[in-house]
Amino acid sequence: MAAFIQKLFKSRKTTEATPNQRKATQPEPVEQEDTRTDRREEQLKTLESAPSQDVLAKLAIEGVTADIRQSAAGRLTDEASLQDVQKQAKGRDKGVYQIVKLALQQRREEQARLDSISQTIATLTRHAQDQAKSDDTKLYEARLDALLKQWTEVETHASPEQAQAFLEAVHLCKERIAALQSAAEDEKRQREQKLQRQETLDLLTRTLDELKSQPPETLPSLASLDALQKTQENRWLEATRDTAVEKQEQKAYENAMLALRNYLSSVRRITQERETIAELGALLERADDATDEQRAQAKTLVAEINWPEGYPIPALLEPLRKLAGKRKKPAEPRVDQEQQKALTTRLEAEIRQLEEALEAKQLKESKQIFKTAQQHFRDLDQRHAKPYQARMQLLTGQLRELSDWQGFATEPKQIALCEQMEYLAEQPMDPEAKAERIKELQNEWRDLGGSSDRSLWSRFKAASDKAYEPCKAYFSAKSGLKQANLEKRSAICEQLESFLDNADWSSIDWKAAERIHQTARQEWKEAWPVEFRDNRAVQKRFDELLKRLEAPLDEERRKNEGLKQTIVDKAQALVEHEPLQEAMNQAKALQGDWQAIGITRHREDRKLWQAFRKACDQIFARRDAERSEQQQASRAADETAQAGLNQVSGISPESDEQAVTAALATLKDIDAATLSKGVREQVQQEKQRLSKILSALRLQAKMASWQSLVMAATAGQSRSESAPQHWAALAETSDASDPVELVIRAEILCGVPSPEADQQRRMEIQVQRLANGMGSADNSTDQMQDVEKLLAAWCLGGTGKNADTELAERMNRAIANLNEA
């Protein structure tokens, strides 16, 4: 105890001695006051002169006053200096310590913020690149907009390389969006075009059916038919522009339009010749007064009108057809009477159903029944269809009236519904009440039976979507998004586990399995946000299931990469393989084998593909080199052929036969197989031109020979040895002896006018030719044979002896005209 007390007092004594020491040393601070002031002034000047970080750190520790130390500490920015000052000021200068500590904390927070921004930039870039490669187009544009919105918040912190990588991925995404929109618009356009084509076919079919049921007493309006034809042609043209049309559909249109054109042409001809038809029809009452010419005119008119089969013949044409002596129609082939009776029974039942539906004003049911009844009506033969023709016409009119009436009655109501929906879209109201009202208006629209006016329906649909937009967000929030996403993730796990438990890996579709893997990961990401605590067990289960799925996928990928490596080795071995065609064929086969191989890792597949592509390019580069050699050979052949073409270019119709024959021989010596397509066509065209000239020269020589024979026969000179051998047989078959008739016939055949004095005789000969079914010789071969027959009779039959020089000259003029023709 004593010792303890002694120790206690000893320490107290030491403590009390300190003031005495301070009193003893009081003179020393007074002596250092000037020095302290000088140091303070010096340090203040140093602070004002933009000192370095090391000087500031020294002042922050050794500054004379607290203001100097704190000011110097506040201006420190170097992290090493700050840490050094913090270490030295700890326990010595609380103010400096706090300033430096706060500065370091701010630096760490700023660095953490910059690191977070950098991580966000990298994540956004990766997401954009993943989206550019993704096959999932669901909410594609919305996801890109979300990425762009996040990017605007960190764009200023991105490096040029990061910005370029992100913008390139965004550019690819926008191209993808544009392609999707273009595909959607193209699909929409094709659907609209298909609808227009179907409506065109329906209208044409309906019009033709109505024309078939047209009463003979009335003739359809020419203007209406013409307008229908032109509008439907334009409509079909627009509906088939830049789209694929099935052959059957195109054929149906062409058949229907051809039938309409034929009918329209006949109606137009009847309208144009109505007066002539009426005048000729009036002759039927006094048929004895009708001349052959009038009957021939009636026959010509009937042929020109060419009324199409299957349509009621207008009453106006009946007298004309009788006057023309038109043959009766052949008897219709025998039909299955039992089948016709069955069709009649079915048609009778369908007509009753149609009448009931029309009476109940049921438009949709009426259209369906009418379509079926119309098909059965067309399947009946004329005898069985005739009793129903009037009823079908009546029902057609009633159906058209019902359709017009219903469209007229419902359109104002539908416009009113559009206006109500548009008004509702602008009204702020309770989402539940608003959704209920939207549903009521939509039910009213459906009760009206919809609308055939697509613009009216588009207007109502757009207004409905706009009105429901605020309700959508409300119901989404109300349903509990996190719980729904958690349930979705649980469902993904269930589906994935079910797939893994039932998968037969020995015969599985690996691409489908890989898509399941990708889809599961994508849908898992989309099912966000979720409650973190509730998601732990589900996340663990999902990760385990993914590992179970990835293990066989990776094994299959590595196996397929080995197969592709084998293909690469084979392709590289073909680079120098001979013959080249065999190498190319094998390379193409390897390309097919490559496509048949299943899944691989993307990066490894890229490397293998580049090596395979390089080998294939080398193989086909050899082919390009050979083609280049062939092209050079072709150019040389073209130059040789061009020289030959220039050589024969001077040949004209005025050249002699020998020169033309030599020119043709020159062109025939050219090997066309090595020529380019253009030069080969030039050579072919020049051959055709020279052949025509040669034929014309030979024909001209032949005509001159014939003309000399004609003049010799007229002069009584016998030159039978100069005449063609087959003329003798022609002369024996000819019974013509009148030289004038022979000349007139030659003028008719060769298209040369006869003198005024022989016009009556010429008319009689022409009428006789028409009666014999000859007409004018349109075929050049038949015309030439007929002329030769006349010349044989003239020169070898003795007819020319009875002719004078004037007739011989007329005969030669006719022959000359044949040569010119």
Side-chain angles (χ1 to χ4, degrees):
M1 178 69 74
F4 174 77
I5 293 173
Q6 187 178 2
K7 185 176 181 181
L8 177 62
F9 275 94
K10 184 179 180 181
S11 62
R12 183 180 295 178
K13 189 175 181 179
T14 304
T15 304
E16 292 175 354
T18 303
N20 295 331
Q21 292 177 0
R22 288 180 178 176
K23 289 180 181 179
T25 57
Q26 269 184 340
E28 184 176 356
V30 174
E31 292 176 357
Q32 295 177 352
E33 187 67 33
D34 294 336
T35 304
R36 182 184 177 88
T37 302
D38 293 338
R39 288 180 60 195
R40 183 171 65 84
E41 293 295 329
E42 182 180 356
Q43 288 177 354
L44 288 174
K45 289 181 180 178
T46 302
L47 281 175
E48 293 174 357
S49 61
S52 64
Q53 292 291 304
D54 293 338
V55 174
L56 287 173
K58 186 176 181 180
L59 289 175
I61 300 299
E62 301 176 357
V64 176
T65 63
D67 291 338
I68 292 175
R69 294 193 298 274
Q70 293 176 5
S71 176
R75 293 169 62 180
L76 283 172
T77 57
D78 181 69
E79 185 174 1
S81 300
L82 285 169
Q83 291 176 349
D84 185 57
V85 170
Q86 183 188 29
K87 183 177 180 181
Q88 295 185 50
K90 186 177 182 181
R92 292 180 57 185
D93 192 333
K94 186 176 181 180
V96 171
Y97 179 83
Q98 291 294 334
I99 290 173
V100 174
K101 180 181 178 182
L102 180 62
L104 285 171
Q105 183 178 356
Q106 290 176 347
R107 285 180 63 85
R108 285 192 292 271
E109 291 176 352
E110 179 63 16
Q111 186 60 40
R113 187 179 71 85
L114 293 176
D115 291 342
S116 175
I117 291 175
S118 179
Q119 182 63 31
T120 302
I121 290 173
T123 302
L124 290 176
T125 303
R126 187 174 65 256
H127 287 175
Q129 292 172 344
D130 291 343
Q131 182 160 342
K133 301 174 184 177
S134 174
D135 293 330
D136 183 14
T137 58
K138 183 180 180 181
L139 299 177
Y140 196 95
E141 190 170 3
R143 284 184 282 154
L144 179 60
D145 292 339
L147 288 176
L148 289 172
K149 184 177 180 180
Q150 297 176 50
W151 177 259
T152 56
E153 298 173 0
V154 298
E155 185 177 5
T156 55
H157 301 279
S159 65
E161 293 77 13
Q162 291 173 327
Q164 182 179 1
F166 179 82
L167 292 176
E168 286 177 353
V170 169
H171 178 69
L172 293 175
C173 292
K174 289 184 176 179
E175 287 183 344
R176 185 84 172 277
I177 291 171
L180 291 173
Q181 292 175 347
S182 177
E185 291 174 358
D186 187 64
E187 183 179 0
K188 179 181 178 182
R189 177 181 61 80
Q190 291 188 4
R191 285 198 305 267
E192 182 64 24
Q193 286 180 321
K194 185 173 183 180
L195 177 62
Q196 292 295 326
R197 294 197 301 272
Q198 185 60 46
E199 290 178 356
T200 298
L201 290 175
D202 291 342
L203 179 58
L204 290 175
T205 303
R206 188 167 60 252
T207 301
L208 293 173
D209 290 338
E210 291 175 358
L211 292 176
K212 289 179 180 178
S213 60
Q214 183 85 10
E217 295 75 18
T218 60
L219 197 64
S221 170
L222 178 62
S224 299
L225 290 177
D226 186 67
L228 176 66
Q229 177 201 351
K230 292 178 180 178
T231 54
Q232 295 313 304
E233 284 180 339
N234 293 332
R235 187 181 188 184
W236 184 265
L237 181 63
E238 291 299 323
T240 56
R241 190 185 304 276
D242 300 330
T243 188
V245 182
E246 295 180 0
K247 291 183 178 180
Q248 185 177 2
E249 187 179 15
Q250 181 68 27
K251 185 176 181 180
Y253 165 77
E254 291 174 353
N255 291 338
M257 184 54 72
L258 178 62
L260 181 61
R261 288 196 191 102
N262 292 339
Y263 191 97
L264 178 60
S265 175
S266 298
V267 173
R268 182 180 289 110
R269 189 61 179 166
I270 290 175
T271 305
Q272 294 172 351
E273 303 292 341
R274 183 180 293 271
E275 295 181 1
T276 304
I277 293 172
E279 292 175 1
L280 292 174
L283 296 174
L284 190 63
E285 299 177 359
R286 42 190 179 83
D288 294 336
D289 298 335
T291 64
D292 292 341
E293 183 178 355
Q294 290 170 335
R295 292 184 183 276
Q297 185 180 4
K299 185 177 181 180
T300 302
L301 268 178
V302 170
E304 290 175 352
I305 292 171
N306 191 22
W307 187 259
E309 297 290 338
Y311 297 86
I313 300 174
L316 184 64
L317 280 184
E318 285 298 331
L320 187 66
R321 292 165 64 89
K322 292 180 180 180
L323 183 63
K326 189 172 181 65
R327 291 178 297 179
K328 294 183 178 180
K329 285 185 175 182
E332 294 183 357
R334 298 184 61 184
V335 295
D336 188 348
Q337 297 299 324
E338 294 297 328
Q339 182 182 6
Q340 292 292 311
K341 288 181 181 180
L343 286 173
T344 302
T345 304
R346 293 176 62 183
L347 179 60
E348 184 69 31
E350 287 162 357
I351 288 177
R352 286 197 298 270
Q353 294 176 8
L354 180 57
E355 289 172 344
E356 293 172 0
L358 289 172
E359 186 175 358
K361 299 191 181 301
Q362 298 173 342
L363 179 60
K364 185 177 181 180
E365 292 77 5
S366 299
K367 286 183 177 179
Q368 293 175 350
I369 298 172
F370 178 78
K371 187 175 182 180
T372 306
Q374 195 175 42
Q375 181 61 44
H376 291 154
F377 177 75
R378 285 198 292 264
D379 292 339
L380 292 175
D381 59 9
Q382 186 175 1
R383 184 172 67 85
H384 289 86
K386 188 172 182 180
Y388 298 97
Q389 185 171 352
R391 293 177 68 184
M392 289 297 294
Q393 291 178 5
L394 178 61
L395 292 172
T396 301
Q398 291 177 353
L399 179 61
R400 189 183 299 111
E401 290 175 1
L402 177 59
S403 178
D404 296 341
W405 174 84
Q406 185 160 348
F408 178 80
T410 58
E411 185 176 0
K413 296 179 182 178
Q414 290 170 342
I415 293 174
L417 287 177
C418 290
E419 294 173 350
Q420 293 178 41
M421 188 65 79
E422 290 166 348
Y423 175 80
L424 183 63
E426 302 296 332
Q427 299 307 306
M429 57 188 299
D430 180 70
E432 291 186 352
K434 196 170 191 177
E436 188 65 24
R437 180 56 181 158
I438 291 172
K439 188 175 181 180
E440 292 175 0
L441 292 176
Q442 289 174 341
N443 289 335
E444 291 180 21
W445 181 276
R446 280 193 290 270
D447 292 339
L448 291 175
S451 174
S452 58
D453 187 351
R454 297 180 63 85
S455 61
L456 197 60
W457 160 244
S458 299
R459 176 185 173 187
F460 182 79
K461 179 70 168 55
S464 300
D465 294 343
K466 183 178 179 182
Y468 192 75
E469 194 65 32
C471 303
K472 188 187 300 182
Y474 169 81
F475 289 117
S476 177
K478 183 179 178 182
S479 63
L481 183 58
K482 289 186 177 181
Q483 182 61 31
N485 286 333
L486 188 62
E487 293 174 357
K488 184 177 180 180
R489 287 189 168 190
S490 298
I492 292 172
C493 290
E494 294 291 339
Q495 295 171 4
L496 199 55
E497 186 171 18
S498 175
F499 168 75
L500 289 171
D501 292 340
N502 298 312
D504 183 6
W505 298 106
S506 61
S507 60
I508 197 168
D509 183 353
W510 290 103
K511 290 186 178 180
E514 188 177 51
R515 284 197 297 271
I516 290 172
H517 177 268
Q518 295 172 351
T519 304
R521 290 174 59 88
Q522 183 64 31
E523 290 181 356
W524 186 269
K525 289 180 182 179
E526 292 174 353
W528 185 89
V530 293
E531 192 65 34
F532 179 75
R533 293 180 181 178
D534 298 337
N535 185 58
R536 286 178 180 173
V538 184
Q539 182 71 52
K540 183 178 179 181
R541 182 185 178 192
F542 179 72
D543 293 340
E544 292 173 354
L545 291 170
L546 278 188
K547 289 179 181 178
R548 286 179 58 191
L549 178 58
E550 286 170 353
L553 286 175
D554 288 339
E555 183 180 354
E556 179 67 14
R557 290 187 183 111
R558 283 189 286 271
K559 185 190 77 172
N560 291 333
E561 287 165 9
L563 295 175
K564 288 194 173 182
Q565 182 62 54
T566 303
I567 292 178
V568 171
D569 296 338
K570 290 181 179 179
Q572 291 173 347
L574 290 173
V575 172
E576 302 298 333
H577 182 80
E578 292 293 342
L580 176 59
Q581 186 60 45
E582 183 177 326
M584 290 193 300
N585 293 338
Q586 293 184 23
K588 292 178 182 178
L590 290 177
Q591 290 175 354
D593 295 340
W594 183 282
Q595 296 296 332
I597 294 176
I599 60 174
T600 54
R601 291 175 293 179
H602 178 73
R603 182 175 298 178
E604 296 299 323
D605 185 82
R606 187 70 180 169
K607 293 179 182 177
L608 291 169
W609 170 252
Q610 289 176 353
F612 178 65
R613 187 65 188 173
K614 181 179 179 181
C616 291
D617 290 342
Q618 291 175 348
I619 294 170
F620 290 101
R622 294 169 56 196
R623 178 197 61 183
D624 296 337
E626 290 187 1
R627 284 183 177 176
S628 178
E629 294 176 0
Q630 292 176 357
Q631 289 174 357
Q632 292 179 0
S634 178
R635 283 195 292 270
D638 287 350
E639 292 175 358
T640 303
Q642 197 63 51
L645 290 171
N646 295 334
Q647 181 181 351
V648 303
S649 61
I651 299 298
S652 66
E654 289 75 23
S655 303
D656 57 30
E657 183 177 345
Q658 184 177 1
V660 177
T661 304
L664 271 173
T666 301
L667 294 182
K668 289 179 180 178
D669 292 337
I670 297 174
D671 185 10
T674 57
L675 297 177
S676 64
K677 182 179 179 181
V679 176
R680 185 163 56 250
E681 290 177 353
Q682 291 181 22
V683 171
Q684 187 63 29
Q685 292 173 0
E686 190 65 16
K687 285 181 180 179
Q688 294 174 356
R689 185 183 74 88
L690 293 177
S691 296
K692 289 181 180 178
I693 292 176
L694 183 60
S695 298
L697 290 174
R698 290 174 177 174
L699 179 61
Q700 186 177 359
K702 183 188 291 186
M703 295 298 103
S705 173
W706 289 358
Q707 288 175 342
S708 64
L709 290 173
V710 169
M711 296 304 296
T714 304
Q717 300 174 2
S718 176
R719 296 176 60 181
S720 57
E721 68 280 2
S722 301
Q725 296 180 359
H726 64 282
W727 278 20
L730 292 176
E732 292 177 359
T733 60
S734 176
D735 55 353
S737 59
D738 185 3
V740 176
E741 182 178 349
L742 275 182
V743 171
I744 294 174
R745 287 183 178 273
E747 289 171 342
I748 292 173
L749 285 171
C750 300
V752 175
S754 301
E756 187 65 25
D758 292 335
Q759 285 298 324
Q760 182 63 31
R761 182 78 175 275
R762 177 168 177 149
M763 181 65 71
E764 292 174 355
I765 294 173
Q766 286 179 326
V767 171
Q768 183 181 356
R769 285 170 57 82
L770 287 173
N772 295 334
M774 296 172 63
S776 59
D778 293 332
N779 188 288
S780 58
T781 303
D782 294 339
Q783 183 184 19
M784 185 67 71
Q785 291 176 354
D786 291 345
V787 170
E788 283 192 276
K789 187 175 181 180
L790 295 176
L791 290 174
W794 181 281
C795 298
L796 303 181
T799 307
K801 296 179 181 180
N802 302 324
D804 54 15
T805 305
E806 182 181 355
L807 287 176
E809 289 175 353
R810 283 174 59 184
M811 177 67 80
N812 283 342
R813 279 197 300 272
I815 296 172
N817 190 68
L818 178 65
N819 184 23
E820 293 173 359

